[in-house]
Amino acid sequence: MKSKFCAIVVALIVLACLCPLYASRKASVTVYTDAAKDVPVTLRYTVAGERQPREKTARTKANGAASFTVRHKNILSLHFETTAKVGEIRFGGKTKTTLKARDDLTFDTSALKTRLSFNFFKFALCCGAIGFFLFFSPLPPPPPPIHAKVESGAKPSKQLNIEFLRCVFCCEVVYQHIAEHLSLPTRSWLAVEFFFILSGYFFLKTRCSDRNLWDIFSRKIKAFLPLSLFGVLTVGCFYDNVDGLLGDIFFLNSSFLSHTAFNGPLWYLACLLWITLFYALTLKTFDKKTAVFLLTVFTLTGVFAFSRDGGAHWRVGDHLLTGGLTRAAAGMGVGMFLCYFSEKSTACRLKPALATLLEFSVFFGAVAAMHTKSINHVTIFFLFAVLVLLFVRKEGRLSRFFDKPAWGRLGKYTFAVFVTHDVFPRRVLGVLEQAYPVVSAYPVATIPVCFAVVFVFGFIAYQAIGAKRVDFCRLFLAAENAKENTSDKTCPFLKNPVP
């Protein structure tokens, strides 16, 4: 009873802190001119307690009207700048008022009051996010997890140097969205191809033994769903438009229903899920020769689509096959062939000096290539493939140097950071930039602060939700599907050579 009361108090305190998200003061300002369509109109308004006026720009519609929305309690004055002749101004606040045009287009609005706006959708999302968070974060500390005993000398369950690569390329994805808002040139979005390749490699190595499609699907949902829902709820607190919301929940965005995602990064999860199931179905349905042929065709088709502007304009049937699906098909296909090549070439070893040189060259070359325009997409794509192959073989000094437990501890947070990071650079950073223009004027200071906030939020999300995802998924999946399978199986596809 005491813990329930504390949980209710905490929820009410958080709701009060989030009040500006769903309850705010706002007013609409509409300017009627004699101009044609697309004529710019600039509004400068002074807010109580601020010395510098704020500025907004809108374009006239076909009827010559330009509309603005101001979200402050006390608006002291309005000033307009336009080349067109202004007829009248309508202020829609607590009461609707019509202001007569003046020569200087400056109006005293200190006597006018803005209205209180309450967004029930955002309020429901805030309540859902708080309840979701409290469900995974009960106040009494949970019992320590029971880990399986590992015999001395046994190999770790994860390749820790791969976790280092996950951290690096997760940072690149976060940087892409921050750089977009700050108008900095970058191609860090290509880091997503690394994750597709890595998923294909480990899917063929450990995930396609004799499991059925439902087992594969349930494991993916168990891994994706909790943090994905939390990311959707978090983003929904900052957006009015709900396009793509259902697609995010059911992992259909950028795959079958639409090309956009409500929470931007979730397009990757949707494409990864469906291409994984498609490749699993191919391996289980056809014989070895046919499966190899079909995988080759799908992979080459994806690579060809990716070579054409990153697959952005490669669509079949508008929504049936999107650019995201072709990128996933290319990346996972190349990763699966990398796995096959790695298994069949274990006897071939590079000299440590040569392997070290290749690892340094490919790693730094792949990172640098994402920040230049002189190297095409396909070259970077195959640099990622070679990098994965070099690091899983661990023949050079660089891959062995990063094979440390610290990277394993950091790598487990990358998925939580990836799923939850989008709201800060796309929404919060824009609000801060509007209030404090200095944010965009000094990107050298802004970028590290953004990274710190994003990673702290991802860390909290993982500790509260990601670490307890098995308990959550038992609400939806059968008990036998929610259990972890700790056996290290190898895909039978690798046991026989390709003819």
Side-chain angles (χ1 to χ4, degrees):
M1 185 66 184
K2 183 178 179 180
S3 61
K4 291 182 180 179
F5 176 76
C6 293
I8 294 174
V9 172
V10 171
L12 292 177
I13 293 175
V14 175
L15 271 179
C17 295
L18 297 178
C19 184
L21 294 177
Y22 54 83
S24 61
R25 310 284 304 195
K26 73 175 184 178
S28 61
V29 180
T30 306
V31 184
Y32 291 90
T33 68
D34 61 351
K37 188 177 180 180
D38 289 336
V39 174
V41 179
T42 301
L43 166 64
R44 290 189 177 90
Y45 61 97
T46 305
V47 180
E50 296 183 5
R51 294 183 178 180
Q52 297 295 329
R54 301 196 177 197
E55 182 177 315
K56 287 188 174 184
T57 301
R59 293 185 175 273
T60 57
K61 301 178 181 178
N63 61 353
S67 299
F68 304 88
T69 300
V70 290
R71 299 182 180 273
H72 301 277
K73 184 176 181 180
N74 296 320
I75 309 297
L76 302 181
S77 64
L78 302 175
H79 176 72
F80 299 92
E81 292 183 1
T82 180
T83 57
K85 183 179 179 181
V86 176
E88 64 178 15
I89 296 100
R90 293 181 182 177
F91 184 89
K94 189 174 182 179
T95 59
K96 294 184 178 181
T97 306
T98 300
L99 305 175
K100 298 298 182 181
R102 299 169 53 181
D103 294 337
D104 57 357
L105 296 180
T106 301
F107 304 90
D108 181 12
T109 57
S110 57
L112 302 179
K113 303 296 182 181
T114 56
R115 67 180 184 275
L116 178 64
S117 175
F118 188 87
N119 192 315
F120 286 96
F121 175 72
K122 289 187 177 182
F123 178 74
L125 285 176
C126 289
C127 293
I130 294 170
F132 195 75
F133 194 87
L134 291 177
F135 175 82
F136 283 100
S137 302
L139 293 178
I146 301 175
H147 296 286
K149 293 183 179 180
V150 181
E151 297 179 0
S152 60
K155 294 183 179 180
S157 59
K158 291 185 178 181
Q159 292 186 278
L160 302 177
N161 56 1
I162 294 296
E163 299 303 310
F164 162 74
L165 295 180
R166 288 182 194 271
C167 296
V168 171
F169 291 109
C170 179
C171 292
E172 290 287 349
V173 174
V174 174
Y175 175 76
Q176 170 68 34
H177 294 146
I178 297 174
E180 281 180 357
H181 191 84
L182 298 177
S183 301
L184 300 176
T186 183
R187 291 192 298 171
S188 295
W189 59 270
L190 289 167
V192 177
E193 316 312 318
F194 166 81
F195 292 102
F196 280 134
I197 294 172
L198 201 62
S199 298
Y201 179 90
F202 286 107
F203 168 73
L204 189 61
K205 187 175 182 64
T206 62
R207 295 279 180 169
C208 79
S209 50
D210 52 355
R211 297 172 185 164
N212 55 38
L213 291 180
W214 171 249
D215 190 20
I216 297 173
F217 177 78
S218 62
R219 288 171 181 272
K220 289 294 183 183
I221 294 298
K222 182 182 68 175
F224 294 164
L225 187 60
L227 282 168
S228 299
L229 284 179
F230 181 74
V232 169
L233 290 171
T234 304
V235 172
C237 294
F238 294 89
Y239 283 85
D240 295 322
N241 192 355
V242 296
D243 291 343
L245 177 60
L246 291 179
D248 275 3
I249 295 175
F250 295 103
F251 299 102
L252 294 173
N253 274 323
S254 294
S255 55
F256 300 108
L257 287 182
S258 66
H259 297 167
T260 58
F262 185 68
N263 182 17
L266 295 192
W267 75 266
Y268 164 79
L269 300 184
C271 296
L272 179 63
L273 174 64
W274 297 113
I275 292 298
T276 299
L277 293 175
F278 179 73
Y279 278 166
L281 181 63
T282 302
L283 291 175
K284 295 176 183 299
T285 304
F286 300 99
D287 59 89
K288 184 175 59 179
K289 292 183 180 180
T290 307
V292 170
F293 173 76
L294 292 176
L295 287 176
T296 304
V297 172
F298 298 147
T299 302
L300 292 178
T301 302
V303 172
F304 173 73
F306 182 73
S307 67
R308 301 182 62 184
D309 197 18
H313 304 295
W314 182 272
R315 299 190 180 104
V316 178
D318 191 29
H319 293 296
L320 181 60
L321 184 60
T322 63
L325 284 175
T326 55
R327 290 171 65 182
M332 288 199 65
V334 170
M336 292 166 70
F337 281 106
L338 275 181
C339 180
Y340 173 80
F341 176 78
S342 177
E343 291 288 330
K344 298 304 175 183
S345 61
T346 53
C348 301
R349 309 289 293 180
L350 295 175
K351 292 185 177 181
L354 178 60
T356 302
L357 178 62
L358 287 175
E359 288 173 358
F360 270 95
S361 302
V362 175
F363 173 71
F364 290 106
V367 173
M370 289 186 290
H371 300 277
T372 61
K373 295 183 178 180
S374 58
I375 302 177
N376 60 42
H377 299 157
V378 178
T379 302
I380 301 175
F381 180 82
F382 284 107
L383 282 176
F384 291 150
V386 176
L387 182 63
V388 171
L389 183 62
L390 290 173
F391 267 63
V392 296
R393 293 173 67 93
K394 290 191 286 191
E395 296 175 354
R397 292 183 179 272
L398 185 65
S399 59
R400 292 200 297 268
F401 175 79
F402 288 112
D403 193 33
K404 299 290 190 300
W407 296 112
R409 291 191 290 270
L410 289 176
K412 65 183 181 182
Y413 299 111
T414 54
F415 178 69
V417 171
F418 177 82
V419 172
T420 60
H421 81 275
D422 192 54
V423 65
F424 187 81
R426 291 188 185 273
R427 185 64 178 176
V428 178
L429 190 59
V431 175
L432 293 176
E433 187 179 14
Q434 184 178 3
Y436 308 100
V438 71
V439 170
S440 58
Y442 298 96
V444 177
T446 302
I447 292 175
V449 173
C450 291
F451 267 101
V453 174
V454 165
F455 277 88
V456 168
F457 188 71
F459 172 81
I460 295 173
Y462 176 83
Q463 292 294 341
I465 297 171
K468 305 177 182 65
R469 63 181 183 271
V470 175
D471 296 331
F472 175 78
C473 289
R474 282 175 180 162
L475 300 174
F476 303 97
L477 304 176
E480 62 269 19
N481 290 327
K483 294 179 181 178
E484 290 288 347
N485 184 6
T486 56
S487 59
D488 185 14
K489 297 182 179 180
T490 303
C491 176
F493 177 73
L494 298 174
K495 295 179 181 179
N496 298 316
V498 176

